[in-house]
Amino acid sequence: MSALTLAAVEVRYGGLVAVAPLSLTVSAGQVLAVTGPSGAGKTSLLWLMAGALVPDRGTVSMDGSPVGDRPQAAARGVVIVPQGNGLAAVLTAYENIVVPLLDGGLTPADAEARAGEALAAVGLEDWSEHLVEELSGGQQQRVAVARALAARASVLLADEPTSDLDGRNREVVLHALRAAADRGAVVVLATHDPEAAESADGELALDSGAATWVRPLP
């Protein structure tokens, strides 16, 4: 069971503080919501957790060992759903999920099973053969979440995963993220959505990089 720990991390872009000194631990099975206005540092914090940003100070570790750079973190099961979704427009929804799984060494049978399960979890089983460019923004968002679910992440980081969704589909995605936590993942989502934040176990608010606990993790 994994735990993600930030110890006095700080990120600056020149004179701009993106993440002020911050320490926290999110344990397996927990969902943390990171909230705050645009430009508050939410995306920087997620990419820091994902190993894609090097902190100016402090450390990011998983189970006591540094997460490393982005490839090293990915190899340890740290998966991120970016705001732009990161999908290949010329592939189908199904192919966007299966191809990374095959690249990661899964057998075709296992990759196909995981893709089907993940698409069903976000309510897109009937859209699996549609090209990404044929899908709405909300459907693309759900495919990106399904891809992360299929990876069976140890740490699942989602940047605004419900921003393009209506109420029903928002509940579907939040239920899927909770199910990932219940399977033992660390789940962190950056969100402007009060209902998404309320569904999490804890809420951390950022403002100009400075963090305040709205609801501490249990």
Side-chain angles (χ1 to χ4, degrees):
M1 302 291 279
S2 301
L4 184 69
T5 299
L6 278 60
V9 295
E10 183 178 5
V11 176
R12 291 177 174 268
Y13 302 117
L16 175 67
V17 178
V19 179
L22 172 63
S23 297
L24 62 83
T25 295
V26 189
S27 298
Q30 292 184 320
V31 180
L32 171 66
V34 180
T35 59
S38 296
K42 300 188 300 297
T43 296
S44 292
L45 180 59
L46 257 63
W47 284 104
L48 177 70
M49 292 175 170
L53 279 180
V54 177
D56 293 280
R57 295 180 182 174
T59 59
V60 181
S61 61
M62 184 174 161
D63 303 330
S65 300
V67 297
D69 59 19
R70 181 65 200 123
Q72 291 169 329
R76 298 185 64 189
V78 181
V79 174
I80 188 161
V81 181
Q83 276 195 50
N85 297 330
L87 301 173
V90 297
L91 298 180
T92 65
Y94 171 81
E95 290 166 343
N96 265 279
I97 298 171
V98 166
V99 169
L101 296 176
L102 294 174
D103 287 345
L106 259 65
T107 66
D110 286 343
E112 291 169 10
R114 283 200 196 182
E117 177 185 328
L119 286 167
V122 298
L124 286 175
E125 58 267 50
D126 293 334
W127 295 83
S128 63
E129 298 306 317
H130 286 252
L131 294 173
V132 164
E133 61 187 11
E134 298 172 341
L135 302 177
S136 69
Q139 288 171 327
Q140 291 179 21
Q141 196 165 48
R142 285 188 282 156
V143 172
V145 171
R147 183 174 58 180
L149 296 173
R152 306 280 173 87
S154 299
V155 177
L156 198 166
L157 309 170
D159 200 350
E160 299 289 354
T162 63
S163 60
D164 290 333
L165 304 181
D166 60 22
R168 184 179 67 83
N169 286 316
R170 174 180 57 199
E171 290 304 315
V172 167
V173 165
L174 293 176
H175 182 271
L177 293 176
R178 172 59 66 182
D182 290 344
R183 286 195 297 268
V186 170
V187 178
V188 182
L189 63 146
T191 184
H192 283 97
D193 182 346
E195 291 189 30
E198 182 63 29
S199 74
D201 299 310
E203 180 181 347
L204 183 74
L206 292 182
D207 190 0
S208 300
T212 304
W213 284 107
V214 178
R215 287 184 296 115
L217 289 165

